[in-house]
Amino acid sequence: MERIEVNPNIMAGKPVIRGTRIPVSVILNLLAHGYSVSRVVEAYPQLTTEDIQAAMSFAASLTNMEERVYG
C-alpha cells in the first residue's frame, strides 16, 4: 500500500493517494458511478492507473478486514 497515505494532517486523516490530496473515497465513488479508469485519470491527471488500482486494492483489503470481524 505504498501509494496510499493516511496522515492526520492531510484531509483530516482520510486515506489519500500519496503526494496528493485526492481521497481514495473520491476515486471509488467515481468508479462506482460508471467512470472508467482512463476517465478518472483524465479528470485527475496527477493520478496513474496504478494509483487507481491501489485505491481499489485498499478498499478490498478493508472489506476483508470487516469480514474477519463480522464473520
Side-chain angles (χ1 to χ4, degrees), residues 7-56:
N7 181 331
N9 297 318
I10 300 172
M11 299 297 291
K14 292 182 180 180
V16 299
I17 301 300
R18 187 174 302 283
T20 76
R21 296 179 61 80
I22 303 170
V24 168
S25 62
V26 168
I27 295 167
L28 297 174
N29 194 30
L30 291 172
L31 294 170
H33 285 87
Y35 273 57
S36 65
V37 171
S38 61
R39 189 170 173 201
V40 174
V41 171
E42 185 178 310
Y44 294 93
Q46 64 271 47
L47 296 178
T48 65
T49 300
E50 292 79 12
D51 292 330
I52 308 301
Q53 291 169 338
M56 291 186 290

